[in-house]
Amino acid sequence: MPKISLPSSEADTAERLRGIGLICLAVFLFTILDTSAKYAGRFVPTLEVAWTRYAIALVFAVIVLRPWRSLSEYRFERPVVQIVRALFLMMSSVFNFLALMYLQLAEAVSIAFAAPLMVTAIAGPLLGEWAGPRRWAAIVFGFVGVLVILEPTPANFRVEALFSVGAAICYAGYSLTTRLLAGTTSAPTMLIFGTLIATVLLTPTLPAVATLPPHWTVMAAMVITGTMGALGHYCLIVAHEKTPTVVLAPFAYTQIVWMMIAGYVVFGDWPGPTTLFGGALVIASGLYILYRESIRRN
Protein backbone atom coordinates (compact mmCIF):
# COMPACT_ATOMS: atom_id res chain seq x y z
CA MET A 1 0.00 0.00 0.00
CA PRO A 2 1.41 3.46 -0.89
CA LYS A 3 2.44 5.55 2.06
CA ILE A 4 3.45 9.10 2.81
CA SER A 5 7.07 9.52 1.67
CA LEU A 6 9.51 9.19 4.50
CA PRO A 7 12.29 11.72 5.14
CA SER A 8 15.49 10.68 3.40
CA SER A 9 17.99 12.00 5.95
CA GLU A 10 18.35 13.29 9.47
CA ALA A 11 18.22 16.82 8.05
CA ASP A 12 14.88 16.07 6.39
CA THR A 13 13.57 14.61 9.64
CA ALA A 14 14.65 17.72 11.53
CA GLU A 15 12.93 19.93 8.94
CA ARG A 16 9.71 17.97 9.28
CA LEU A 17 9.86 18.18 13.06
CA ARG A 18 10.37 21.95 12.82
CA GLY A 19 7.38 22.16 10.50
CA ILE A 20 5.24 20.14 12.91
CA GLY A 21 6.35 22.37 15.77
CA LEU A 22 5.45 25.46 13.76
CA ILE A 23 1.97 24.19 12.85
CA CYS A 24 1.31 23.40 16.51
CA LEU A 25 2.53 26.87 17.44
CA ALA A 26 0.37 28.43 14.72
CA VAL A 27 -2.88 26.85 15.95
CA PHE A 28 -1.98 27.83 19.52
CA LEU A 29 -1.57 31.44 18.35
CA PHE A 30 -4.88 31.22 16.47
CA THR A 31 -6.50 30.11 19.73
CA ILE A 32 -5.18 33.24 21.42
CA LEU A 33 -6.50 35.23 18.43
CA ASP A 34 -10.02 33.82 18.76
CA THR A 35 -10.02 34.17 22.55
CA SER A 36 -8.97 37.82 22.30
CA ALA A 37 -11.50 38.50 19.53
CA LYS A 38 -14.30 36.94 21.59
CA TYR A 39 -13.38 39.14 24.55
CA ALA A 40 -13.01 42.34 22.48
CA GLY A 41 -16.25 41.62 20.62
CA ARG A 42 -18.17 42.05 23.86
CA PHE A 43 -17.26 45.75 23.92
CA VAL A 44 -16.61 46.93 20.34
CA PRO A 45 -18.22 46.10 16.95
CA THR A 46 -17.09 43.00 15.11
CA LEU A 47 -16.03 44.95 12.03
CA GLU A 48 -13.72 47.09 14.17
CA VAL A 49 -12.10 43.97 15.65
CA ALA A 50 -11.70 42.49 12.15
CA TRP A 51 -10.15 45.71 10.80
CA THR A 52 -7.67 45.79 13.68
CA ARG A 53 -6.79 42.15 13.06
CA TYR A 54 -5.86 42.79 9.41
CA ALA A 55 -4.32 46.23 9.81
CA ILE A 56 -1.87 44.95 12.42
CA ALA A 57 -1.20 41.82 10.35
CA LEU A 58 -0.41 44.05 7.35
CA VAL A 59 2.04 46.16 9.36
CA PHE A 60 3.70 43.00 10.70
CA ALA A 61 3.97 41.46 7.21
CA VAL A 62 5.51 44.62 5.76
CA ILE A 63 8.05 44.91 8.60
CA VAL A 64 9.08 41.24 8.41
CA LEU A 65 9.05 40.75 4.63
CA ARG A 66 10.29 44.26 3.67
CA PRO A 67 8.82 44.07 0.15
CA TRP A 68 10.53 47.30 -0.93
CA ARG A 69 13.83 45.37 -1.18
CA SER A 70 12.56 43.45 -4.22
CA LEU A 71 9.34 44.99 -5.49
CA SER A 72 9.53 42.95 -8.69
CA GLU A 73 8.73 39.81 -6.66
CA TYR A 74 5.46 41.31 -5.43
CA ARG A 75 3.58 41.55 -8.71
CA PHE A 76 -0.20 41.82 -8.50
CA GLU A 77 -0.91 39.04 -10.98
CA ARG A 78 -4.36 37.48 -11.51
CA PRO A 79 -5.99 40.43 -9.70
CA VAL A 80 -9.53 39.01 -9.78
CA VAL A 81 -8.45 35.82 -8.01
CA GLN A 82 -6.33 37.82 -5.55
CA ILE A 83 -9.28 40.08 -4.65
CA VAL A 84 -11.75 37.18 -4.36
CA ARG A 85 -9.25 35.30 -2.16
CA ALA A 86 -8.82 38.31 0.14
CA LEU A 87 -12.60 38.79 0.28
CA PHE A 88 -13.07 35.16 1.33
CA LEU A 89 -10.35 35.56 3.98
CA MET A 90 -11.88 38.76 5.33
CA MET A 91 -15.41 37.35 5.47
CA SER A 92 -14.22 34.17 7.17
CA SER A 93 -12.85 36.35 9.98
CA VAL A 94 -15.96 38.52 10.17
CA PHE A 95 -18.28 35.49 10.33
CA ASN A 96 -16.00 33.77 12.83
CA PHE A 97 -15.88 36.83 15.12
CA LEU A 98 -19.67 37.14 14.91
CA ALA A 99 -20.03 33.47 15.82
CA LEU A 100 -17.68 33.88 18.79
CA MET A 101 -20.05 36.45 20.27
CA TYR A 102 -22.63 33.69 20.77
CA LEU A 103 -20.85 30.33 20.67
CA GLN A 104 -18.24 28.68 22.82
CA LEU A 105 -14.73 28.62 21.38
CA ALA A 106 -14.84 24.82 21.00
CA GLU A 107 -18.20 24.96 19.22
CA ALA A 108 -16.99 27.53 16.70
CA VAL A 109 -13.75 25.73 15.87
CA SER A 110 -15.48 22.33 15.57
CA ILE A 111 -17.81 23.71 12.89
CA ALA A 112 -14.89 25.53 11.23
CA PHE A 113 -13.08 22.22 10.80
CA ALA A 114 -15.70 21.38 8.17
CA ALA A 115 -13.85 23.71 5.75
CA PRO A 116 -11.46 20.97 4.47
CA LEU A 117 -14.49 18.77 3.77
CA MET A 118 -16.02 21.58 1.68
CA VAL A 119 -12.73 22.04 -0.17
CA THR A 120 -12.67 18.34 -1.08
CA ALA A 121 -16.29 18.51 -2.27
CA ILE A 122 -15.85 21.67 -4.38
CA ALA A 123 -12.37 20.90 -5.76
CA GLY A 124 -13.84 18.56 -8.36
CA PRO A 125 -15.87 21.01 -10.45
CA LEU A 126 -13.52 23.93 -9.75
CA LEU A 127 -10.05 22.35 -9.98
CA GLY A 128 -10.74 18.99 -11.58
CA GLU A 129 -9.69 17.18 -8.39
CA TRP A 130 -12.60 14.77 -8.09
CA ALA A 131 -13.25 12.90 -4.85
CA GLY A 132 -13.84 9.16 -4.99
CA PRO A 133 -16.67 7.34 -3.25
CA ARG A 134 -14.69 6.80 -0.05
CA ARG A 135 -13.84 10.46 0.30
CA TRP A 136 -17.44 11.41 -0.48
CA ALA A 137 -18.55 9.05 2.28
CA ALA A 138 -16.13 10.83 4.63
CA ILE A 139 -17.52 14.22 3.53
CA VAL A 140 -21.08 13.12 4.32
CA PHE A 141 -19.87 11.68 7.63
CA GLY A 142 -18.23 15.01 8.50
CA PHE A 143 -21.32 17.03 7.66
CA VAL A 144 -23.33 14.74 9.90
CA GLY A 145 -20.91 15.82 12.64
CA VAL A 146 -21.64 19.47 11.86
CA LEU A 147 -25.38 18.77 12.12
CA VAL A 148 -24.83 17.10 15.49
CA ILE A 149 -23.09 20.26 16.74
CA LEU A 150 -25.76 22.55 15.27
CA GLU A 151 -28.61 20.48 16.76
CA PRO A 152 -31.10 21.71 14.09
CA THR A 153 -34.26 21.01 16.08
CA PRO A 154 -36.80 23.69 17.05
CA ALA A 155 -35.88 23.31 20.71
CA ASN A 156 -32.07 23.46 20.36
CA PHE A 157 -31.15 25.20 17.10
CA ARG A 158 -29.38 28.55 17.43
CA VAL A 159 -29.38 30.64 14.30
CA GLU A 160 -26.12 32.27 15.46
CA ALA A 161 -24.33 28.98 14.76
CA LEU A 162 -24.83 29.70 11.05
CA PHE A 163 -22.13 32.37 11.40
CA SER A 164 -19.64 29.53 11.98
CA VAL A 165 -21.02 27.72 8.93
CA GLY A 166 -20.50 30.92 6.94
CA ALA A 167 -16.94 31.18 8.28
CA ALA A 168 -16.23 27.60 7.19
CA ILE A 169 -17.66 28.22 3.71
CA CYS A 170 -15.59 31.39 3.29
CA TYR A 171 -12.44 29.67 4.55
CA ALA A 172 -13.02 26.87 2.05
CA GLY A 173 -13.26 29.52 -0.68
CA TYR A 174 -10.06 31.10 0.62
CA SER A 175 -8.29 27.71 0.51
CA LEU A 176 -9.46 26.98 -3.03
CA THR A 177 -8.44 30.39 -4.38
CA THR A 178 -5.08 30.00 -2.64
CA ARG A 179 -4.61 26.73 -4.53
CA LEU A 180 -5.55 28.50 -7.77
CA LEU A 181 -2.72 30.97 -7.12
CA ALA A 182 -0.19 28.36 -5.99
CA GLY A 183 2.67 27.95 -8.43
CA THR A 184 2.26 31.43 -9.90
CA THR A 185 2.18 33.58 -6.75
CA SER A 186 4.58 33.28 -3.82
CA ALA A 187 3.38 32.84 -0.24
CA PRO A 188 4.83 36.22 0.89
CA THR A 189 3.03 37.93 -2.00
CA MET A 190 -0.27 36.31 -1.04
CA LEU A 191 0.29 37.31 2.60
CA ILE A 192 0.96 40.96 1.73
CA PHE A 193 -1.88 41.37 -0.75
CA GLY A 194 -4.34 39.32 1.30
CA THR A 195 -3.94 41.48 4.40
CA LEU A 196 -3.74 44.70 2.35
CA ILE A 197 -6.96 44.05 0.42
CA ALA A 198 -8.81 42.93 3.58
CA THR A 199 -7.70 46.10 5.39
CA VAL A 200 -8.73 48.32 2.48
CA LEU A 201 -12.15 46.64 2.18
CA LEU A 202 -12.87 47.00 5.90
CA THR A 203 -11.62 50.59 6.27
CA PRO A 204 -14.76 52.30 4.81
CA THR A 205 -16.89 50.62 7.51
CA LEU A 206 -14.99 52.22 10.39
CA PRO A 207 -16.68 55.66 10.41
CA ALA A 208 -20.08 53.99 10.79
CA VAL A 209 -19.19 51.40 13.44
CA ALA A 210 -15.98 52.34 15.25
CA THR A 211 -16.21 53.01 18.97
CA LEU A 212 -13.53 53.85 21.50
CA PRO A 213 -12.56 50.75 23.53
CA PRO A 214 -13.94 51.33 27.04
CA HIS A 215 -10.89 49.90 28.81
CA TRP A 216 -7.22 49.28 28.13
CA THR A 217 -7.81 45.52 28.32
CA VAL A 218 -10.14 45.72 25.32
CA MET A 219 -7.54 47.67 23.36
CA ALA A 220 -4.91 45.11 24.36
CA ALA A 221 -7.19 42.27 23.23
CA MET A 222 -7.64 43.93 19.82
CA VAL A 223 -3.87 44.39 19.42
CA ILE A 224 -3.30 40.77 20.47
CA THR A 225 -5.87 39.64 17.90
CA GLY A 226 -3.92 41.29 15.08
CA THR A 227 -0.52 40.26 16.36
CA MET A 228 -1.47 36.62 16.86
CA GLY A 229 -3.06 36.52 13.41
CA ALA A 230 0.13 37.81 11.79
CA LEU A 231 2.44 35.53 13.77
CA GLY A 232 0.15 32.54 13.27
CA HIS A 233 -0.05 32.92 9.50
CA TYR A 234 3.71 33.48 9.30
CA CYS A 235 4.30 30.23 11.23
CA LEU A 236 1.80 28.51 8.95
CA ILE A 237 3.61 29.63 5.80
CA VAL A 238 7.04 28.57 7.10
CA ALA A 239 5.64 25.23 8.32
CA HIS A 240 4.29 24.43 4.84
CA GLU A 241 7.64 25.38 3.32
CA LYS A 242 9.42 22.84 5.55
CA THR A 243 6.95 19.94 5.70
CA PRO A 244 4.38 18.34 3.34
CA THR A 245 0.78 19.36 3.98
CA VAL A 246 -0.31 15.75 4.50
CA VAL A 247 2.14 15.46 7.40
CA LEU A 248 1.13 18.79 8.94
CA ALA A 249 -2.65 18.69 8.64
CA PRO A 250 -3.44 16.23 11.47
CA PHE A 251 -1.57 18.46 13.93
CA ALA A 252 -3.85 21.39 13.06
CA TYR A 253 -6.63 19.56 14.88
CA THR A 254 -4.79 20.11 18.17
CA GLN A 255 -6.44 23.53 18.07
CA ILE A 256 -9.67 22.08 19.42
CA VAL A 257 -7.83 21.07 22.62
CA TRP A 258 -6.46 24.59 23.06
CA MET A 259 -9.89 26.08 22.35
CA MET A 260 -11.50 23.89 24.99
CA ILE A 261 -8.86 24.92 27.55
CA ALA A 262 -9.10 28.63 26.63
CA GLY A 263 -12.89 28.56 26.74
CA TYR A 264 -12.89 27.03 30.20
CA VAL A 265 -10.08 29.18 31.67
CA VAL A 266 -11.16 32.55 30.23
CA PHE A 267 -14.94 32.26 29.87
CA GLY A 268 -15.88 29.34 32.12
CA ASP A 269 -17.27 27.38 29.15
CA TRP A 270 -17.04 23.63 28.66
CA PRO A 271 -18.43 21.99 25.51
CA GLY A 272 -21.46 19.76 25.87
CA PRO A 273 -21.65 16.14 24.71
CA THR A 274 -23.13 17.02 21.30
CA THR A 275 -20.24 19.41 20.56
CA LEU A 276 -17.68 16.81 21.63
CA PHE A 277 -19.32 14.02 19.64
CA GLY A 278 -19.97 16.14 16.55
CA GLY A 279 -16.45 17.57 16.67
CA ALA A 280 -15.03 14.05 16.86
CA LEU A 281 -17.01 13.09 13.73
CA VAL A 282 -15.76 16.14 11.83
CA ILE A 283 -12.14 15.53 12.85
CA ALA A 284 -12.32 11.80 12.05
CA SER A 285 -13.71 12.48 8.58
CA GLY A 286 -11.06 15.15 7.93
CA LEU A 287 -8.25 12.81 8.96
CA TYR A 288 -9.64 10.03 6.76
CA ILE A 289 -9.75 12.37 3.76
CA LEU A 290 -6.11 13.28 4.43
CA TYR A 291 -5.27 9.58 4.55
CA ARG A 292 -6.97 8.98 1.20
CA GLU A 293 -5.19 12.01 -0.25
CA SER A 294 -1.82 10.62 0.84
CA ILE A 295 -2.59 7.30 -0.88
CA ARG A 296 -3.78 8.99 -4.06
CA ARG A 297 -0.69 11.20 -4.35
CA ASN A 298 1.94 8.54 -3.59
Side-chain angles (χ1 to χ4, degrees), residues 35 38 42 104-105 259-271:
T35 305
K38 181 176 176 68
R42 294 179 168 185
Q104 295 181 7
L105 292 171
M259 293 288 256
M260 289 169 62
I261 294 171
Y264 180 74
V265 171
V266 179
F267 303 106
D269 295 331
W270 188 255

Side-chain angles (χ1 to χ4, degrees), residues 11-93:
D12 289 339
T13 300
E15 280 291 278
R16 289 196 174 194
L17 289 175
R18 279 192 283 270
I20 290 169
L22 284 168
I23 194 74
C24 291
L25 176 59
V27 298
F28 175 72
L29 296 175
F30 291 148
T31 299
I32 299 175
L33 183 161
D34 283 343
T35 305
S36 301
K38 181 176 176 68
Y39 175 78
R42 294 179 168 185
F43 303 95
V44 296
T46 297
L47 290 176
E48 186 175 352
V49 178
W51 180 87
T52 305
R53 178 252 185 275
Y54 285 108
I56 292 176
L58 175 62
V59 171
F60 177 88
V62 170
I63 291 173
V64 171
L65 298 174
R66 291 177 286 180
W68 57 85
R69 296 182 305 170
S70 53
L71 290 175
S72 60
E73 296 180 8
Y74 292 86
R75 294 186 297 271
F76 192 55
E77 298 176 338
R78 305 183 71 180
V80 173
V81 181
Q82 291 268 21
I83 292 171
V84 171
R85 174 182 175 272
L87 185 61
F88 275 132
L89 177 62
M90 179 195 76
M91 291 307 301
S92 71
S93 292

Side-chain angles (χ1 to χ4, degrees), residues 10 54 62 90-91 126 135 183 189 191 207 222 237 246 255 259 267 274 295:
E10 290 186 6
Y54 285 108
V62 170
M90 179 195 76
M91 291 307 301
L126 186 62
R135 280 182 291 163
T189 299
L191 180 61
M222 294 171 68
I237 288 170
V246 173
Q255 186 176 5
M259 293 288 256
F267 303 106
T274 53
I295 291 178

